[in-house]
Amino acid sequence: MLTRHQVPVADLEAIATGRITAPTGTRMAAAERSRRMLMLRALTAAEGETEHSAGPLPPLAHAFELLARAEALDPRAVASVLGHPPVGVWAVRLLGRLRTGAGPRPGEPPLWREAGYAHALAAAAALRAGLPARVRVPAWAGKVILPTVGHAVLDDAPGDHDVATLETDGRGAARVTLGPHAVELPAAPHLPAPGWHPARLLSWTAREPGPGVLLDDADPYRDFRSAWPPPAPLTDGESDTWQRHLHDAARLLGARHPDAARMVPLVLNSLVPLPGTPRFRASSASYAEAFGSALVSLPRDAVDFAVTLVHESRHSVLNGLSHQIQLVDRSARAPRQDTLLYAPWRTDPRPPWGLLHGTYAFTGVADFWRTERHALTGHRAVLAHFEFAVWRDAVAIALRTLAGQPGLTPWGRRFVAEMARQTAPWAGDDVPAEALAPAEAELADLRSTWCSHNLAPDPAATRSLADHRLGGGPVEEAAVPRSRLRADSPLRQPELRCELRRLHIADEGTFTPDTRARLSGRERSPELLEADMCLLRGGPANAARAVDRYRAVLNGAPGTRPAWVGLGLALEASGEGAPATALLHRPELVRALALEELARGGRTPDPLDLARWTARIPGLTAQPATDLPQH
């Protein structure tokens, strides 16, 4: 008899506020295991319905039969293998290829090798369970991967031999052979040996090793985003660095963030290391079918790592919950022009499901900074207050949007309501002026930049407005064009000014020569970068200089979206409220007008004159910018 997984209402409410207990984590893990088993059954069915060559390996059923025998001997060993997050990534990819019959994309492995990962899973399960077995498994460029156990590196030229063999007697003796080469595995496979590299298990704390987290630097399916082949494994020294960072982050969470300290180890069982990034460009990601995994760039310090772990563990929690409870109607999950919304942390429009995901993750981020800001001192405390103020208000914006969405199910509305109850008191928290002012500018920057990229005013109405202005018509008689969401609104890199704002706070009101050298002429024109720096230094004189520099940039390149938003921010800092409001409320309209006039007369209109004229149009700020649900 098949039974259904149950989610207690108390679990739903506790998850909404980030309180994950051990029983909740256990129930979630059990549901994910069932989901994996259903994936394997779907793969078996798809292989039976598809005409394809299994290549040099047996069919999937052989691997699954070995998994069943290993489970009969040691259920926990097989559960660990099937709970390995890359299994979900692999299953989705293989299922898609079997169902569509599509050939490999550039750089992808042939279908038989992709299917062969099932045999690697079975071999790993047999080894862990102590089951005697002889298993043929695919080799990857001279490496043989045994997921969750380790990988063997054989002195073989990649491509000379495609299939290796694992032989284990079930009593500790095991060997991997590839062509004429062989590697003997140690009796304790978690120990290294010549040619054998055990899976890297990190401990959460130095004094209490307990259940560890896998630092996955070898599995071919560990990075759901990457093209083939995946990056090279870490060195031992690099692994040690990750261990130190994890101990430091876990210690920080345990000392100041008890709810997060309980949640993160319960949810995350795998970290996929990514290369380090410049300050304030930390990279991390998670995937619905890789429950328990987080891709994370090398952190700079404990605070950086801790907040990233909180963020990504919340994504995993919500993925797991959504596999059991439908929080958003299925019709509202896919991106559609009429259901795309503003998310302050994204540069692209998001469907309700994506907005809910981000809101839940950033609620954890805001909660982290709410506490952390009181534990830090000096400019680090100012930056923490800034981060709290930004994400507190960003979450509030998103929750208001979600509350008005018809696409939420009753359980989804209850989940959002719990989040709103938790975060409502945060609005009354004091934030020092030195952090609050840049946070308010950041929020205006985020929204206006989003509008400038993702909204487009009605072309005919824009041409009519240009006719009216160029013809000398009274501005009081001008009509405001409506804007609609652009059809081509891809995900873009975050606005560089947001990074500069954090650098300015972190470096105590300065911009280092390194910042200039890294960004000028590469990611920002020198003229625009100088305008941004003038703006962020603050004060009336710097604001006036920023206005002049943004005007100069726009006179030469009126299509430069960051300069229009920057001009609005500089005008606001200078006390010119009306043109600032026009630029920050409708940046896409002012830019479109400038480009329309340039196309007609061959001369760029003065950006400041245009902003002042647009600001006088009756109802400019009262007129909705778009027919979409308001953000």
Side-chain angles (χ1 to χ4, degrees), residues 22-199:
T24 302
T26 299
R27 285 189 286 270
M28 194 169 288
E32 287 300 311
R33 172 175 166 74
S34 293
R35 187 175 179 86
R36 290 287 167 83
M37 298 301 289
L38 290 173
M39 285 182 173
L40 299 187
R41 185 166 73 175
L43 285 172
T44 303
E47 186 184 48
E49 298 167 359
T50 305
E51 291 186 9
H52 79 92
S53 170
L57 295 175
L60 292 174
H62 285 232
F64 296 159
E65 187 273 334
L66 181 57
L67 279 166
R69 286 196 286 128
E71 185 175 47
L73 193 61
D74 189 342
R76 291 173 64 88
V78 176
S80 294
V81 172
L82 294 184
H84 185 43
V87 175
V89 180
W90 162 75
V92 169
R93 286 188 186 177
L94 179 58
L95 192 59
R97 291 183 67 174
L98 289 173
R99 286 177 172 174
T100 63
R105 292 176 295 184
E108 277 190 338
L111 183 58
W112 73 263
R113 191 189 298 274
E114 194 125 67
Y117 186 76
H119 298 281
L121 294 172
L127 195 60
R128 294 183 63 138
L131 174 69
R134 186 175 188 275
V135 192
R136 288 166 59 79
V137 296
W140 306 79
K143 296 186 181 73
V144 176
I145 311 296
L146 300 177
T148 76
V149 181
H151 68 278
V153 179
L154 297 105
D155 291 331
D156 197 31
D160 284 359
H161 297 280
D162 292 326
V163 178
T165 302
L166 168 77
E167 297 175 274
T168 174
D169 64 1
R171 298 189 300 273
R175 167 188 291 193
V176 175
T177 58
L178 180 64
H181 308 289
V183 168
E184 300 287 342
L185 273 62
H190 65 279
L191 298 175
W196 173 247
H197 302 268

Side-chain angles (χ1 to χ4, degrees), residues 382-427:
V382 176
L383 184 60
H385 279 292
F386 165 85
E387 297 288 7
F388 167 65
V390 168
W391 301 123
R392 170 193 65 182
D393 290 357
V395 164
I397 291 167
L399 285 172
R400 288 195 296 270
T401 302
L402 287 167
Q405 288 304 302
L408 294 181
T409 65
W411 289 117
R413 286 194 291 274
R414 186 165 183 165
F415 191 84
V416 169
E418 286 296 327
M419 292 171 62
R421 273 192 285 273
Q422 177 199 15
T423 59
W426 300 355

Side-chain angles (χ1 to χ4, degrees), residues 464-465 468-469 473-481 613-614 616-619:
S464 177
L465 184 60
H468 187 82
R469 176 174 142 82
V475 67
E476 294 79 8
E477 297 176 7
V480 184
W613 184 87
T614 307
R616 294 165 53 207
I617 299 175

Side-chain angles (χ1 to χ4, degrees), residues 117-288:
Y117 186 76
H119 298 281
L121 294 172
L127 195 60
R128 294 183 63 138
L131 174 69
R134 186 175 188 275
V135 192
R136 288 166 59 79
V137 296
W140 306 79
K143 296 186 181 73
V144 176
I145 311 296
L146 300 177
T148 76
V149 181
H151 68 278
V153 179
L154 297 105
D155 291 331
D156 197 31
D160 284 359
H161 297 280
D162 292 326
V163 178
T165 302
L166 168 77
E167 297 175 274
T168 174
D169 64 1
R171 298 189 300 273
R175 167 188 291 193
V176 175
T177 58
L178 180 64
H181 308 289
V183 168
E184 300 287 342
L185 273 62
H190 65 279
L191 298 175
W196 173 247
H197 302 268
R200 299 185 186 277
L201 273 179
L202 306 183
S203 61
W204 287 104
T205 64
R207 289 179 296 178
E208 301 176 15
V213 58
L214 175 67
L215 184 64
D216 194 352
D217 64 336
D219 196 289
Y221 294 97
R222 64 190 183 274
D223 187 343
F224 65 90
R225 314 163 308 169
S226 67
W228 296 83
L234 301 175
T235 66
D236 289 343
E238 290 169 334
S239 176
D240 291 343
T241 298
W242 278 93
Q243 179 64 91
R244 288 194 300 272
H245 281 308
L246 187 62
H247 281 169
D248 291 345
R251 187 162 49 248
L252 184 154
L253 291 174
R256 300 197 281 268
H257 308 273
D259 287 341
R262 283 188 293 270
M263 173 182 65
V264 172
L266 283 172
V267 175
L268 294 183
N269 57 42
S270 176
L271 294 175
V272 178
L274 301 177
T277 58
R279 280 190 299 169
F280 307 115
R281 291 196 191 183
S283 176
S284 65
S286 55
Y287 177 51

Side-chain angles (χ1 to χ4, degrees), residues 394-624:
V395 164
I397 291 167
L399 285 172
R400 288 195 296 270
T401 302
L402 287 167
Q405 288 304 302
L408 294 181
T409 65
W411 289 117
R413 286 194 291 274
R414 186 165 183 165
F415 191 84
V416 169
E418 286 296 327
M419 292 171 62
R421 273 192 285 273
Q422 177 199 15
T423 59
W426 300 355
D429 287 358
D430 289 333
V431 176
E434 59 185 332
L436 185 59
E440 291 172 342
E442 173 90 351
L443 289 160
D445 204 345
L446 289 169
R447 182 193 180 281
S448 299
T449 298
W450 187 93
C451 290
S452 73
H453 280 289
N454 297 305
L455 299 182
D458 178 80
T462 302
R463 288 192 294 271
S464 177
L465 184 60
D467 288 341
H468 187 82
R469 176 174 142 82
L470 293 173
V475 67
E476 294 79 8
E477 297 176 7
V480 184
R482 296 178 71 89
S483 291
R484 295 180 182 274
L485 195 66
R486 296 170 60 94
D488 54 340
S489 295
L491 178 64
R492 299 174 178 85
Q493 289 298 314
E495 167 52 38
L496 184 62
R497 200 161 35 236
C498 298
E499 179 183 337
L500 288 171
R501 198 170 278 114
R502 287 167 171 81
L503 288 168
H504 187 254
I505 297 171
D507 293 334
E508 302 182 76
T510 65
F511 290 109
T512 65
D514 173 69
T515 297
R516 290 177 179 275
R518 179 168 58 86
L519 302 177
S520 183
R522 297 176 182 174
E523 300 188 36
R524 207 68 149 186
S525 72
E527 297 79 13
L528 181 54
L529 181 62
E530 186 57 40
D532 289 334
M533 288 182 171
C534 283
L535 170 68
L536 297 176
R537 287 189 186 102
N542 282 319
R545 280 192 285 270
V547 169
D548 291 340
R549 283 167 169 75
Y550 285 126
R551 287 175 75 185
V553 170
L554 291 168
N555 279 323
T560 309
R561 290 182 172 90
W564 286 110
V565 177
L567 179 60
L569 294 168
L571 288 170
E572 187 172 59
S574 300
E576 283 211 57
T581 299
L583 284 165
L584 297 178
H585 184 75
R586 299 295 304 276
E588 79 286 356
L589 173 60
V590 184
R591 175 180 178 273
L593 269 177
L595 293 176
E596 177 67 23
E597 294 188 15
L598 174 64
R600 295 184 184 196
R603 186 176 64 84
T604 303
D606 179 83
L608 185 51
D609 289 346
L610 182 59
R612 286 169 174 161
W613 184 87
T614 307
R616 294 165 53 207
I617 299 175
L620 178 74
T621 57
Q623 177 76 14

